[in-house]
Amino acid sequence: MQRLKLSISPCPNDTFMFDAIVNGRIDLDGFAFDVEYHDIEELNRALEGGAPDISKMSCALLPAITADYRLLDSGAALGRGNGPLLVRRRGEKGPLRRIAVPGLHTTANALVSRLFPEIGERVPLLFSEIAAAVERGDFDAGVLIHEGRFVYERRNLELVADLGLEWERRTSLPLPLGGIVMRRSLGEEAVTRFERLLRRSIEYAFAHPGVSRPFVKEHAQELEDDVIDKHIALFVNDFSLSLGGQGRAAMAALTGVEGL
């Protein structure tokens, strides 16, 4: 039995994809896992320190860790119409000088830097706290990811820009947000075997969508079934099963890392 440290986020797309692995619904092919759940920025920082064996990561982090970690073909959050949303208080005018982002290592922050270079101050904040902070007036605007992008209109907030649509307009490529990486030192055989296992877990989730719901709700920020359904439908798709040529081209365009 090979025991590995697995770190994922508590967001619905990760818990949906990993449910069959974490809860033993499929044969684990000789693996056992110590599972931890962290906010995406915590996951990114842990990867920089080389802590986990397998982890979710922001795609923008890949250049910094690619020497030690290999991007897996399965498990990506990548697609069209799935980008982070830049929002501000409804009716507010004027330039955006100080905004909240869900971490300085995140793809969301990288997109703001690339698409809106005139925004000078980007302050990291836990993703689930950003909408409320913007609504209070603590920031000129904020970038919403995960469940927050589906419910911001319930608050006194309005859309400034859909960063994913702007990326697609400029590149004609789908937007890579997150992916799963595995430590290269574990060896090619183990990486290939886990990659195959993760694909089976995602296939199981697609085939039995209701089975994972209690596990997903256990970790979700927003518990309404319709919000969870929208989240999973947007972030778990054919690219999650396999990046394919287009997915790899999108990853290379965002990160500058070739030969993925």
Side-chain angles (χ1 to χ4, degrees):
M1 185 73 66
Q2 185 174 14
R3 181 170 290 275
L4 301 175
K5 181 179 178 181
L6 169 64
S7 298
I8 59 175
S9 84
C11 63
N13 54 302
D14 277 12
T15 49
F16 178 77
M17 290 191 294
F18 280 88
D19 168 70
I21 289 175
V22 174
N23 294 301
R25 306 191 199 281
I26 57 177
D27 183 279
L28 298 184
D29 197 16
F31 288 114
F33 301 99
D34 296 318
V35 185
E36 295 183 356
Y37 305 90
H38 299 288
D39 166 67
I40 186 62
E41 187 70 345
E42 293 175 321
L43 293 170
N44 290 334
R45 288 198 298 265
L47 279 167
E48 283 193 312
D53 295 311
I54 303 164
S55 180
K56 172 73 169 287
M57 60 130 200
S58 293
C59 292
L61 184 68
L62 187 60
I65 64 171
T66 191
D68 297 316
Y69 287 92
R70 172 174 151 182
L71 176 68
L72 301 187
D73 187 53
S74 296
L78 189 156
R80 297 185 182 275
N82 66 350
L85 303 183
L86 180 63
V87 302
R88 71 189 309 171
R89 284 199 295 178
R90 191 171 290 120
E92 290 286 327
K93 305 297 181 184
L96 304 180
R97 295 189 176 91
R98 184 172 184 267
I99 72 167
V101 296
L104 297 180
H105 297 84
T106 61
T107 304
N109 184 56
L111 286 170
V112 172
S113 178
R114 183 177 300 193
L115 301 175
F116 295 91
E118 68 276 11
I119 298 177
E121 188 176 0
R122 302 188 301 277
V123 180
L125 198 66
L126 183 65
F127 76 93
S128 56
E129 298 176 357
I130 290 176
V134 175
E135 190 176 28
R136 287 194 305 268
D138 297 348
F139 299 91
D140 298 325
V143 182
L144 303 183
I145 61 172
H146 299 331
E147 299 99 315
R149 71 187 308 285
F150 298 104
V151 297
Y152 75 92
E153 291 174 313
R154 300 178 187 176
R155 296 179 176 271
N156 187 35
L157 300 173
E158 65 183 12
L159 183 67
V160 176
D162 184 321
L163 303 184
L165 292 180
E166 184 63 23
W167 163 269
E168 291 175 43
R169 186 184 69 79
R170 297 189 186 193
T171 67
S172 299
L173 291 167
L175 174 64
L177 292 168
I180 306 299
V181 293
M182 188 166 177
R183 190 188 302 279
R184 292 182 184 274
S185 61
L186 292 168
E188 182 70 24
E189 187 275 336
V191 171
T192 300
R193 191 158 42 97
F194 178 77
E195 202 166 45
R196 189 167 57 238
L197 174 63
L198 178 54
R199 177 165 182 143
R200 288 204 307 270
S201 182
I202 299 168
E203 289 171 340
Y204 184 96
F206 279 138
H208 308 88
V211 170
S212 64
R213 186 52 51 99
F215 179 60
V216 171
K217 281 191 168 184
E218 179 184 345
H219 296 280
Q221 290 288 327
E222 298 286 344
L223 297 178
E224 297 96 331
D225 282 321
D226 65 323
V227 174
I228 290 173
D229 288 340
K230 288 176 182 176
H231 187 120
I232 293 171
L234 190 60
F235 295 112
V236 187
N237 52 39
D238 286 345
F239 288 117
S240 304
L241 289 169
S242 175
L243 287 171
Q246 190 176 52
R248 292 178 186 280
M251 285 280 192
L254 180 77
T255 67
V257 178
E258 301 291 342
L260 296 170

